[in-house]
Amino acid sequence: MNSVKAFAPATVANVSCGFDIFGFAIGEPGDVVELRKRDEPGIIITDIIGDEGRLPRAAEKNAVTVVMLHLLKHLDITDFGCEVVLHKNMPLGSGMGSSAASAVAGVVAINELLGNPLTRQELLPFAMEGERIASGSAHADNVGPSLLGGFVVIRSYNPLDIFTIPVPDDLYCTLVHPDIEINTKDARFILRNEVSLKNTIAQMGNVAGLVAGLMKSDYDLISRSMVDVIIEPVRSILIPEFKEVKKAAIDNGALGCSISGAGPSMFALSRGIGNATKAGEAMQRQFAAAGIESGLHISPINKNGAIIL
Ligand code: HSE
């Protein structure tokens, strides 16, 4: 095999109460990475389409290629060379797991080109290195679901312990991306380092409730558990119209609504595509009333994650 193309989907991280420990993949959009073997050793980015020239072109600075360099080093391969084309199909700083999708597509593509020496689970620490270079923190709640698909729980970072849980088939995600940008590094910087015991107890209850609600297909429990008392109150000030958009989603049939990843995108979970669509249209109308354009994506939870095209 001399060339390969991989797709990795956008993701919703945190999922309300699960800061850095919950994430799920959606159907579209997603980034695509094309690799073509070359005779000389070394990895070269030949083109990035869709980033308006904003991402670094040097292999050791871009999330899509950093993951490949880490993998080659781990496998002790020194004579491998390839050209990389990255199709960025989602906005940067959107809260849709943009850098994670690039890193995952990159690591899945090179693993395929090398004859799949590593399993999907084994690729995870390499994909996380892409997040480190992009946002300064190697969190796994975007790369995990983009790589593995489904709804991911990260029980522990050290040692890494990550698994997927079943979700109801009729659960739909509405993702609304307002036309503003938030840098993940900044959105992490504003968070407090200390949390009160009262808020910790409330958050733990909701985390347990959301996992149980998803696994039991108990939509009321999912709805009651989509409450974040720690991160959302701090970060929501970065998103204009946050409260109004959230209310619009819930008033129009969503089970719950919160910030997607570090924002500014907002997501809602709903039972059925009808509710998901109604909620999404209401969320967009609310942003539009404040003069903010937005993009809308509706999808069930993507159980496949990254795929070879
Ligand atoms: N868990 C991360 C955060 C996701 O909220 O900062 C951002 O990509």
Side-chain angles (χ1 to χ4, degrees):
M1 189 193 292
N2 282 320
S3 64
V4 70
K5 215 182 211 191
F7 165 89
T11 43
V12 170
N14 302 333
V15 198
S16 173
C17 50
F19 179 69
D20 276 0
I21 64 162
F22 289 163
F24 62 82
I26 61 171
E28 290 274 350
D31 284 353
V32 172
V33 169
E34 289 179 67
L35 299 188
R36 191 171 301 279
K37 266 193 198 159
R38 59 189 208 112
D39 295 335
E40 305 292 304
I43 293 180
I44 299 173
I45 298 178
T46 47
D47 203 1
I48 302 179
I49 298 142
D51 73 328
E52 289 157 5
R54 293 176 54 196
L55 291 172
R57 263 57 182 170
E60 67 285 357
K61 292 201 173 133
N62 192 311
V64 73
T65 36
V66 160
V67 295
M68 300 182 196
L69 295 171
H70 276 279
L71 185 67
L72 290 176
K73 191 165 175 220
H74 168 80
L75 296 171
D76 208 12
I77 298 174
T78 51
D79 58 352
F80 178 86
C82 71
E83 294 178 349
V84 182
V85 177
L86 168 62
H87 299 259
K88 279 292 330 157
N89 295 328
M90 61 186 105
L92 312 179
S94 60
M96 297 161 70
S98 175
S99 52
S102 297
V104 167
V107 82
V108 165
I110 195 166
N111 193 48
E112 179 81 13
L113 208 50
L114 294 169
N116 288 307
L118 266 60
T119 64
R120 282 289 166 104
Q121 282 273 354
E122 288 168 342
L123 290 177
L124 188 61
F126 301 95
M128 287 167 70
E129 289 307 318
E131 282 293 49
R132 192 193 304 282
I133 195 103
S135 76
S137 136
H139 48 272
D141 49 345
N142 290 114
V143 284
S146 188
L147 184 63
L148 306 172
F151 191 107
V152 161
V153 175
I154 300 140
R155 191 205 58 82
S156 155
Y157 273 88
N158 190 17
L160 195 58
D161 185 356
I162 175 168
F163 53 89
T164 56
I165 58 168
V167 295
D169 285 339
D170 210 20
L171 189 70
Y172 279 77
C173 170
T174 304
L175 189 63
V176 176
H177 172 241
D179 193 14
I180 43 179
E181 201 173 308
I182 292 180
N183 184 302
T184 301
K185 238 181 227 172
D186 300 339
R188 293 184 79 86
F189 183 75
I190 61 166
L191 299 175
R192 301 184 193 106
N193 273 322
E194 263 107 55
V195 178
S196 70
L197 182 59
K198 186 171 156 241
N199 280 348
T200 306
I201 292 166
Q203 200 86 349
M204 286 195 297
N206 286 318
V207 162
L210 187 52
V211 170
L214 290 167
M215 293 183 72
K216 295 188 342 177
S217 295
D218 182 337
Y219 291 94
D220 285 339
L221 181 55
I222 294 170
S223 180
R224 294 200 302 281
S225 306
M226 286 182 68
V227 179
D228 171 10
V229 297
I230 296 175
I231 307 295
E232 187 184 291
V234 182
R235 281 188 173 168
S236 55
I237 53 164
L238 301 174
I239 304 172
E241 297 296 297
F242 175 82
K243 265 194 197 129
E244 293 77 6
V245 173
K246 178 169 174 158
K247 183 171 181 317
I250 292 166
D251 287 353
N252 282 278
L255 300 167
C257 171
S258 186
I259 305 169
S260 176
S265 290
M266 292 176 65
F267 81 99
L269 289 178
S270 300
R271 181 176 195 168
I273 194 165
N275 284 329
T277 307
K278 217 170 118 209
E281 287 166 357
M283 291 164 79
Q284 283 199 294
R285 271 198 305 276
Q286 196 61 50
F287 273 126
I292 301 167
E293 280 183 41
S294 62
L296 173 65
H297 303 277
I298 294 171
S299 107
I301 312 301
N302 171 352
K303 295 190 176 141
N304 301 319
I307 50 168
I308 297 295
L309 297 172

